[in-house]
Amino acid sequence: MSEWLPVLVLPNLYLGEAIGDGDIAVTRTDDGRVQEATAEQPRLGDFLSRFTDAFGEPVDPSVLIVRQDSSESYRDTSAIAGFRDLLAVATLPTARALQITDGGGLGNPVWAETFSFYPWMVDREGEQLIGQTPAMLGSHLVDDFRGQTDAGLPQFAIATYVVDRPIFDEVLRRWHRRFGDGEASWEDRALFRSLNMAHHAMMMPGGLEYGFYDVGRLLTLWVSAFEILLHPGPGGIVGEAQVVDVLDRARWVDNACATLCHQVTIGRRSAARTLASSLYDRIYRLRNDFLHGNEVTAEQLATNEVPLLLLASSLYRIALVTFLELEIPPIAENADQAAMVAYIGTLTHWRDPQRRHERAILKAMALPETDD
């Protein structure tokens, strides 16, 4: 019996290398773990080979796999969705920040549909296809299957540098804690509830027909993602004030992002806040106008030609890092030269993702980067 179980496929995603750990991962069809499973179940291999784009060009889907002897709870729908949400939040905000600062996204995905699960999969006996969504439940023959990627979304490959490793590694640790066999804490439940909201906030506004009202709907989801993440628990409250407090105390690299020099008025109180808080205030006010039917113009959806819909993910990344209390590990005392050289790599690992988002935030206000 193969050690790993293929659970679902993601036809819109192509990976250069596997992403995951010893219990769960998303990987390519030529991964040895997938190959072992298809050797035991030839129809699974046939199914995976039957995907094309809308014009019949073959594509290799990615496969979500779970280790057979891992906790049964890891195969629960909520756990699988939670891992998918983690992948989206650990990759899409980086691609969006690069699109803001460098243009074009450098070929990386910026929409969450890239991580959509295909509704059909070979059953665990490797005999027939099972399809399940809220709209249907059915079975069919693998020989009749013709799978396609999303017609409105090209298949994207995720470059290694796009994965936000500090976020991914810490949230994956918490994924085990949240979806393992023990009782989950409020904080961990809030985290994955928020990631799910952020995942949906990063979906496309629509197809050919999308308009700025569709963008507004997604901005409202972003505000919910922030507030769910920072909710203190039963009996507590959260609103704009609590969110901007978190953004203000973030560990900024660029002094221009850390400076409290932007006036933000919440209720009757006005205070000097960070640039990030000022931008979040714009999103929060837009959200209120959209939800309450107030007048909104398309020009309000961008600042310095930076779409707020894309910028929101950078602000969320900042709030998430602060929520997770992620810090650059200190260098050991009396470190020798080799340790100091290695520590430079550690700094790069931690600071590069932060810098990408700070550059996007600074561009939104047409501000130059300053010294560290």
Side-chain angles (χ1 to χ4, degrees), residues 1-23:
M1 185 178 188
S2 61
E3 185 178 355
W4 289 78
L5 174 69
V7 178
L8 290 165
V9 296
L10 301 84
N12 302 313
L13 175 66
Y14 182 81
L15 293 175
E17 60 183 42
I19 303 176
D21 66 5
D23 289 309

Side-chain angles (χ1 to χ4, degrees), residues 17 88 100 155 159 169 179 191 222 233 284 286 343 346-347 349:
E17 60 183 42
I100 289 171
Q155 188 189 55
D169 293 344
F179 297 105
L191 170 61
W222 270 122
Y284 187 85
L286 272 172
Y343 190 68
T346 299
L347 289 176
H349 171 85

Side-chain angles (χ1 to χ4, degrees), residues 113 150 152 203-211 214 217:
E113 284 86 350
D150 190 318
M203 288 189 171
M204 290 188 291
L208 288 173
E209 80 293 347
Y210 90 89
D214 300 299
R217 182 184 66 254

